[in-house]
Amino acid sequence: MPSRKFADGEVVRGRWPGSSLYYEVEILSYDSRSQLYTVKYKDGTELELKESDIKPLTSFRQRKSGSTSSSPSRRRGSRSRSRSRSPGRLLKGSRRSASASHQVDIKEARKEILEVKLTPLVLKPFGNSISRYNGEPEQRERNDIPRRDARAQGDARAQADAPAQADAPAQANTRAQMVSFSSQEKFPLSQESSYLSTQYSLRPRREEIKLKELDSKEDRIVTKGPTSLRTFEAAGPQPKKLEFGGVPGVFLIMLGLPAFLFLLLLLCKQREPSLLNFPPPLPALYELWETRVFGVYLLWFFLQALFYLLPVGKVVEGTPLTDGRRLKYRLNGFYAFILTSALIGASVFWDVELCYVYSHFLQFALAATVFSVVLSVYLYARALKAPQDDLSPASSGNAIYDFFIGRELNPRIGTFDLKYFCELRPGLIGWVVINLVMLLAEMKVQGRAVPSLAMILVNSFQLFYVVDALWNEEALLTTMDIIHDGFGFMLAFGDLVWVPFGYSLQAFYLVHHPNELSWPVASLIIALKLCGYVIFRCANSQKNAFRKNPTDPKLAHLKTIHTSTGKNLLVSGWWGFVRHPNYLGDLIMALAWSLPCGFSHILPYFYVIYFTMLLVHREARDEQQCKKKYGVAWEKYCRRVPYRIFPYIY
């Protein structure tokens, strides 16, 4: 059974029965047996139309009124066109008598054309013929128009009976080739009339040819009684709505985020961190930069790149790009983590001083920041030569904004995908290594034989989170970072600096600020963590399984809403609870990571506060993207699932 193309509630253009005019209609329902759509016109008329009689709105907005059809009869210079008969063409006798009118000044003719008031001519075929409309017979009355020219009436009847063969909704010889009612104007349609076909004699054929170059100018309004018809021009490029506060916002973010991160790290190093002592003592710049540290960081980055290139793990395809291509990705992040763990274990066995990372933590953070800036400059420079199809949907054309958001969607060196590599490898695996270093540093600084229970919980929770992300690496391919945002400073700094050095803040805090936990309290924190993980993982697994195979029998119990893109929206299961259950689970886990640090200071809870703001902002971006993509179906989905991240909170 063929799948439907248009969704319930979608606003499209439907062909009025017996004519080639398309009007704005709303899809009410679809009968899969008869394959007919029930549509509603603006005057309240409800009819059943075939799918071939319905066109999306974009097919009208993207064509100019003066554009020519691909039909051979409508090409310039085609002899078949000069011999064709159309509603706007004068009758044979009239053309001979009107030869003098061809000498009228072109500008005056155009002025008269625009001001002419057209009278609709109701054409009905001869005889009590019966035609079929959407599968239903329709009785037509005998024509009562005077027979001035049998040939003209034969052409009129042919026009009335023939289906539309071109994409344009109006006839070829009228000045308004693409005529459609304005979306903001009322149009009365008689429910009693069974068959209407309007003819417009706008100008003689020769004048139409002479004024061909005028077709690409501004919209022209043609009056037909009380109703206005407008010829639609192709919509020009609309300015994109910039996120993050536009150019000033992203400029401040690029300057403020690195400075803010260093302030957090300096506060954590203080014996008595307090906002009253803000800002903390700032080290000299030469104390923050060490060439050896930068070399160690480069070694770490290229070691992970080497692991990425290993021919292990399966290869999968990403989501389709704008040109239909699907890039291939090798999923070997978990293997890279195993190899890295083996190297770290060997380093501990050989007594390598891993606490060097802790004692030079600020220097490592600066080295990663410098590297991310250099990488961002390289990404922007190479993106200037990238073809249009390779650009990110989020790019705007502004240099500062594109440097931040990323201009190129999937920058690659051969088969090496820079964005995909940086998303999970150097930063995420580095986060686990930094946490382990902080555990060893706590034992050394506090003189412990074993790490504290709080440090063990923080390390275990975040280790489990990273391992889960690497094990389910394929889920990354459907995230906004991969399919929408380019690779620029935002993701480069976030992946390489903010994640490893910002998300390890709890472990860094516990090195100098121990917190003793009892087992009952630890058990409650573990239960909270497991609760958040179950919500997070089950929601993501259900989403990914549905995206892979919506017809999977295991998902047959889920309810969906059909969209005009051909995809369905889940409205049951985890995704019927709130719109973003994965975000809810993520926030619960983030709280569980911070609770082992106690309540003596707000610093360990910075991650929860920041992550809440991040997910709320990301949810708002998701809402805008989905509303633009799914239209009416998304509004229906929001009514079915009103809660966004938190239950009972809009």
Side-chain angles (χ1 to χ4, degrees):
M1 180 179 295
S3 60
R4 59 184 299 183
K5 183 178 180 181
F6 303 101
D8 292 350
E10 186 176 358
V11 179
V12 294
R13 301 271 180 188
R15 189 168 69 90
W16 182 251
S19 75
S20 57
L21 298 181
Y22 284 74
Y23 302 122
E24 194 169 289
V25 297
E26 179 184 359
I27 303 293
L28 298 182
S29 62
Y30 176 74
D31 188 350
S32 58
R33 181 171 302 176
S34 62
Q35 298 182 15
L36 296 177
Y37 289 88
T38 301
V39 302
K40 183 177 182 180
Y41 291 78
K42 282 192 174 181
D43 68 335
T45 303
E46 294 186 9
L47 296 175
E48 290 184 338
L49 298 181
K50 299 177 182 178
E51 189 170 278
S52 59
D53 293 333
I54 302 175
K55 296 182 182 297
L57 294 176
T58 54
S59 65
F60 289 84
R61 292 170 182 158
Q62 294 176 354
R63 298 185 63 179
K64 294 186 178 181
S65 60
S67 62
T68 59
S69 171
S70 58
S71 173
S73 64
R74 304 172 86 173
R75 294 174 186 162
R76 178 178 296 181
S78 173
R79 297 188 59 84
S80 61
R81 172 174 177 171
S82 64
R83 303 293 301 170
S84 64
R85 177 77 59 186
S86 67
R89 188 172 180 180
L90 294 176
L91 301 180
K92 185 175 181 180
S94 301
R95 292 178 61 187
R96 292 197 186 104
S97 62
S99 59
S101 64
H102 294 174
Q103 308 301 324
V104 180
D105 183 79
I106 299 301
K107 294 184 179 180
E108 287 294 321
R110 182 179 62 177
K111 183 177 180 181
E112 293 175 3
I113 290 168
L114 294 178
E115 296 178 352
V116 67
K117 195 164 187 177
L118 303 177
T119 303
L121 180 61
V122 180
L123 299 180
K124 299 177 182 178
F126 294 101
N128 297 326
S129 60
I130 298 178
S131 68
R132 187 160 298 275
Y133 164 61
N134 286 341
E136 296 294 334
E138 180 183 4
Q139 186 73 30
R140 297 180 181 173
E141 300 176 358
R142 187 176 301 274
N143 185 19
D144 56 357
I145 300 175
R147 299 189 52 159
R148 294 175 305 194
D149 192 316
R151 182 178 179 182
Q153 293 197 15
D155 289 338
R157 181 170 57 184
Q159 179 212 1
D161 292 339
Q165 297 179 359
D167 292 338
Q171 298 299 320
N173 300 318
T174 63
R175 179 74 173 128
Q177 286 185 349
M178 188 170 291
V179 180
S180 174
F181 283 96
S182 175
S183 59
Q184 297 179 352
E185 296 170 342
K186 303 288 184 181
F187 58 98
L189 294 175
S190 175
Q191 299 184 21
E192 299 176 356
S193 62
S194 62
Y195 197 80
L196 286 178
S197 179
T198 306
Q199 290 188 342
Y200 304 106
S201 181
L202 295 182
R203 60 174 173 270
R205 174 70 63 177
R206 293 180 185 177
E207 293 178 8
E208 180 183 353
I209 297 175
K210 290 179 180 180
L211 294 177
K212 191 73 176 179
E213 68 275 6
L214 300 175
D215 288 344
S216 60
K217 293 189 177 181
E218 68 280 355
D219 293 349
R220 307 194 179 284
I221 305 301
V222 183
T223 307
K224 191 193 80 164
T227 308
S228 293
L229 299 178
R230 185 183 302 273
T231 61
F232 283 86
E233 290 282 341
Q238 298 294 329
K240 290 187 177 180
K241 183 178 180 181
L242 304 185
E243 300 176 291
F244 302 98
V247 176
V250 300
F251 184 76
L252 293 177
I253 290 174
M254 288 189 288
L255 293 180
L257 271 186
F260 186 70
L261 176 64
F262 278 88
L263 287 176
L264 287 176
L265 298 180
L266 289 172
L267 283 173
C268 282
K269 289 193 70 173
Q270 288 184 320
R271 287 288 181 181
E272 295 296 333
S274 174
L275 295 179
L276 298 177
N277 298 329
F278 187 85
L282 301 178
L285 184 60
Y286 69 89
E287 297 178 0
L288 292 176
W289 178 258
E290 285 192 20
T291 305
R292 181 185 176 187
V293 169
F294 188 73
V296 173
Y297 182 81
L298 289 180
L299 177 63
W300 166 259
F301 184 89
F302 289 111
L303 177 66
Q304 293 302 317
L306 177 63
F307 291 161
Y308 175 80
L309 293 173
L310 292 177
V312 294
K314 65 177 181 178
V315 177
V316 301
E317 291 184 337
T319 57
L321 302 177
T322 55
D323 57 0
R325 291 180 300 134
R326 299 183 68 163
L327 299 179
K328 294 183 178 181
Y329 299 87
R330 183 175 293 279
L331 307 181
N332 59 4
F334 187 76
Y335 297 103
F337 176 78
I338 296 298
L339 292 175
T340 303
S341 300
L343 287 179
I344 297 298
S347 300
V348 174
F349 180 78
W350 292 328
D351 293 329
V352 175
E353 187 61 33
L354 294 179
C355 287
Y356 176 83
V357 176
Y358 168 74
S359 58
H360 295 80
F361 197 52
L362 291 176
Q363 287 86 347
F364 273 102
L366 180 60
T369 301
V370 171
F371 183 82
S372 66
V373 172
V374 173
L375 178 61
S376 301
V377 173
Y378 164 75
L379 292 170
Y380 182 78
R382 64 166 280 158
L384 295 177
K385 300 180 181 180
Q388 187 69 27
D389 289 341
D390 291 345
L391 299 186
S392 159
S395 61
S396 67
N398 182 275
I400 297 178
Y401 187 83
D402 287 351
F403 180 82
F404 173 81
I405 202 73
R407 178 175 170 83
E408 191 173 359
L409 183 61
N410 300 291
R412 289 190 164 200
I413 302 176
T415 59
F416 190 93
D417 194 295
L418 292 169
K419 180 169 69 171
Y420 179 73
F421 166 72
C422 291
E423 279 283 317
L424 291 181
R425 310 306 177 89
L428 208 66
I429 299 177
W431 177 15
V432 174
V433 174
I434 289 174
N435 277 350
L436 177 63
V437 169
M438 297 307 165
L439 183 145
L440 298 175
E442 182 199 46
M443 295 171 59
K444 182 177 180 180
V445 171
Q446 298 182 18
R448 290 176 173 269
V450 293
S452 65
L453 181 57
M455 181 67 80
I456 291 175
L457 289 181
V458 169
N459 267 258
S460 301
F461 291 166
Q462 297 181 353
L463 171 65
F464 188 70
Y465 184 83
V466 172
V467 170
D468 176 80
L470 295 172
W471 181 261
N472 298 280
E473 185 178 2
E474 189 174 356
L476 178 67
L477 300 179
T478 59
T479 60
M480 182 183 291
D481 290 352
I482 297 296
I483 65 179
H484 181 264
D485 295 333
F487 193 29
F489 180 85
M490 180 182 72
L491 289 181
F493 179 83
D495 295 337
L496 303 179
V497 184
W498 190 259
V499 169
F501 297 96
Y503 288 12
S504 59
L505 195 65
Q506 291 94 347
F508 190 43
Y509 175 84
L510 287 173
V511 173
H512 286 290
H513 309 90
N515 181 52
E516 299 299 331
L517 285 178
S518 63
W519 276 106
V521 175
S523 300
L524 292 176
I525 297 175
I526 294 173
L528 182 65
K529 160 68 179 180
L530 292 177
C531 177
Y533 176 76
V534 168
I535 298 174
F536 172 80
R537 177 45 50 207
C538 290
N540 276 328
S541 298
Q542 192 177 76
K543 176 189 68 174
N544 294 329
F546 185 77
R547 285 180 173 177
K548 283 184 181 179
N549 184 16
T551 61
D552 190 341
K554 297 179 181 178
L555 307 174
H557 64 285
L558 298 177
K559 298 179 181 179
T560 61
I561 293 178
H562 185 72
T563 71
S564 58
T565 63
K567 297 181 179 179
N568 294 328
L569 299 174
L570 285 172
V571 291
S572 64
W574 289 101
W575 298 88
F577 183 53
V578 291
R579 295 182 206 170
H580 300 278
N582 52 339
Y583 291 177
L584 175 62
D586 230 342
L587 286 174
I588 294 175
M589 288 191 293
L591 179 61
W593 298 350
S594 302
L595 288 175
C597 299
F599 301 98
S600 59
H601 202 277
I602 197 174
L603 270 176
Y605 294 89
F606 161 75
Y607 176 75
V608 183
I609 300 171
Y610 152 76
F611 203 55
T612 301
M613 294 188 296
L614 173 70
L615 292 184
V616 169
H617 177 263
R618 176 168 290 227
E619 188 273 339
R621 296 181 70 199
D622 288 341
E623 288 283 321
Q624 292 178 357
Q625 294 294 328
C626 291
K627 187 175 182 179
K628 183 188 302 182
K629 185 176 182 180
Y630 301 121
V632 177
W634 182 253
E635 296 177 1
K636 186 184 296 185
Y637 169 75
C638 292
R639 291 193 296 268
R640 291 283 297 273
V641 187
Y643 309 114
R644 297 190 172 185
I645 299 179
F646 300 101
Y648 310 110
I649 299 180
Y650 287 93

